[in-house]
Amino acid sequence: MLIRHFARRAAPMVQKRTFIGIDAMQKSPSKIAEARAVQNKGGTWLGADGPTYLKQKNDKYWTAAAGGLVAFAGIQLVSGYFHMFHGTNKLE
């Protein structure tokens, strides 16, 4: 009898609550037709000719600064590997 009690408690229970927001997603109206109409008229997707990260006034400077930071980090990484490979620039 004690074994049955623990077996019932250990048995998997059916979840009574739903995933958060699933009801809202299912009950909300579809906006696909509206988006399709916009795309058929000329669209809002910019593609490679006009990327969204270059639309604001200062975006080109921020993109250049980020590219410079990535280039600097890459150069530092490669030079570190070079010095480790050749055993130079050791701190003693």
Side-chain angles (χ1 to χ4, degrees), residues 35-92:
R36 187 177 292 145
V38 170
Q39 293 298 323
N40 289 338
K41 288 181 183 176
T44 57
W45 293 338
L46 301 170
D49 295 334
T52 57
Y53 60 89
L54 294 176
K55 287 296 178 186
Q56 298 294 323
K57 182 179 177 183
N58 293 330
D59 285 348
K60 293 177 184 166
Y61 303 117
W62 283 106
T63 303
L69 183 64
V70 168
F72 176 74
I75 290 170
Q76 291 293 320
L77 183 71
V78 169
S79 86
Y81 282 136
F82 178 82
H83 290 300
M84 281 194 305
F85 182 73
H86 292 289
T88 57
N89 283 352
K90 289 183 181 180
L91 295 176
E92 298 204 24

